[in-house]
């Protein structure tokens, strides 16, 4: 198991076909994108595809239902700016540690954007991707 | 790592304070509950607390945005009835395997309801709970 975990890298399990959004979009639009694609988070990128934030279905949905947003609320107004990212050449053990260490209030982070050396978005890795490879390692 | 994984059981990591819902409730109500509590799935139980189904934020949200529900749509109309559950005394390795094996279309199952011998809901275990204990095992 340990051997297997040390020899699998983020680039081996990440999703490269990532749905992302511009910070100038409205939160309602972001929520629609999240639901339409059945995804739980949306990286926010600038025109150079550098990552500048992240929004999640749970956060946006919760604030919508609590009436904390208006029709004019922009993603840049509400996104998390302190994004925990990971590199494609890191072992998946690093993702497990980061998801646990940097999650809010005892929660874990469910998704880590994968970035190149210039902080440009190239993929995303989820806790589900890790469970899937763990299951393979256990066989 | 393997040793650690074999000696941690579902009851050690499950959440016991589970939010659940009745099959007769409407889907809009279920979606509100999911968003309000910032949770990604909602076990559906009968009057004996036996599990009869499950609904997820992504599924309900996706179908709502695609206009596939009406105000009268009930949870029992749309819930997944073939629920994959786990027992409290199973090792967490079993949860990893079940999440991978029974997920739809290459996805994993993110949450497994924990049931007693009478199929009554006593907890829930998420992929995040597993990532958290893996991170501890790696220390």
């Amino acid at each position: 198991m340990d051997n297997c975990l040390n020899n699998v890298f983020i680039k081996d399990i990440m999703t490269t076909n990532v749905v992302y959004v511009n910070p100038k979009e409205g939160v309602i639009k972001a929520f629609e994108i999240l639901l339409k694609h059945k995804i739980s988070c949306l990286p926010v990128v600038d025109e150079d595809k550098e990552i500048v934030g992240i929004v999640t279905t749970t956060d946006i949905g919760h604030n919508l239902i609590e009436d904390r947003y208006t029709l004019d609320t922009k993603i840049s107004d509400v996104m998390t700016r302190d994004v925990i990212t990971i590199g494609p050449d890191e072992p998946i053990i690093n993702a497990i540690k980061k998801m646990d260490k940097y999650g809010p209030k005892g929660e874990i982070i469910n998704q880590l954007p994968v970035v190149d050396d210039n902080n440009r978005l190239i993929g995303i890795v989820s806790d589900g991707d890790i469970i899937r490879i763990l299951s393979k390692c256990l066989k």
Side-chain angles (χ1 to χ4, degrees), chain A residues 41 46 49 62 74 81-83 90 111 113 115 125 132:
Chain A
C41 87
D46 66 15
K49 225 179 164 184
H62 184 77
K74 297 271 173 279
R81 289 168 190 274
D82 190 15
V83 187
E90 294 190 53
Q111 314 248 8
V115 294
V125 65
R132 200 181 299 118

Side-chain angles (χ1 to χ4, degrees), chain A residues 71-122:
Chain A
L71 286 173
D72 295 327
T73 307
K74 297 271 173 279
I75 290 176
S76 56
D77 299 329
V78 304
M79 67 188 185
T80 299
R81 289 168 190 274
D82 190 15
V83 187
I84 308 298
T85 60
I86 196 157
D89 296 317
E90 294 190 53
I92 64 166
I93 283 182
N94 290 17
I96 295 171
K97 287 182 181 167
K98 281 187 174 183
M99 285 175 169
D100 179 40
K101 183 173 176 188
Y102 297 105
K105 303 179 220 150
E107 301 282 299
I108 69 141
I109 301 177
N110 297 95
Q111 314 248 8
L112 298 175
V114 187
V115 294
D116 67 13
D117 293 339
N118 296 311
N119 204 34
R120 290 202 188 95
L121 182 70
I122 57 172

Side-chain angles (χ1 to χ4, degrees), chain A residues 56-72:
Chain A
T56 64
T57 310
T58 46
D59 272 348
I60 293 188
H62 184 77
N63 286 307
L64 280 173
I65 210 140
E66 299 281 340
D67 269 338
R68 293 194 188 127
Y69 295 156
T70 71
L71 286 173
D72 295 327

Side-chain angles (χ1 to χ4, degrees), chain A residues 16-22 25 33 37 39 41-46 49 51 75 121:
Chain A
T16 50
N17 188 16
V18 190
V19 183
Y20 54 87
V21 74
N22 184 285
E25 287 284 3
I33 294 170
H37 291 272
I39 51 180
C41 87
L42 205 49
V44 187
V45 303
D46 66 15
K49 225 179 164 184
I51 191 151
I75 290 176
L121 182 70

